[in-house]
Amino acid sequence: ERRLRGRDKDDEQAIRQRMANAAEEIAHLTEFDYVIINDDFEQARADLAAIVRAARTKLAVQRERYPGLFSAFRLP
């Protein structure tokens, strides 16, 4: 809220609506495995890149990408 008010670009109604939307989104916080706090853009960007890398290296993704390799291991 402080950031929105400091920008001095939105009227009071818009700020209230954005804060209500944020509260609704935060209410779903526990539904996610990852949370990126965007108070430092470079850190948030690095965190997002790390999540993407982690998702790309999950077993299911790698098994699909390299079926021949994983079939040699006779995994279930």
Side-chain angles (χ1 to χ4, degrees), residues 3-14:
R3 182 184 61 80
L4 291 173
R5 291 187 186 285
R7 289 176 16 173
D8 199 30
K9 297 215 180 218
D10 299 303
D11 63 22
E12 186 62 30
Q13 178 58 32

Side-chain angles (χ1 to χ4, degrees), residues 9-58:
K9 297 215 180 218
D10 299 303
D11 63 22
E12 186 62 30
Q13 178 58 32
I15 291 172
R16 276 194 295 244
Q17 184 61 54
R18 290 185 70 176
M19 295 306 298
N21 291 347
E24 175 63 24
E25 291 171 5
I26 290 169
H28 295 277
L29 184 68
T30 59
E31 298 172 23
F32 298 94
D33 293 326
Y34 304 100
V35 176
I36 297 174
I37 307 299
N38 190 12
D39 62 344
D40 176 307
F41 178 76
E42 285 304 316
Q43 183 61 55
R45 187 198 60 75
D47 291 346
L48 178 58
I51 292 167
V52 170
R53 276 193 302 278
R56 288 178 178 167
T57 59
K58 284 188 171 188

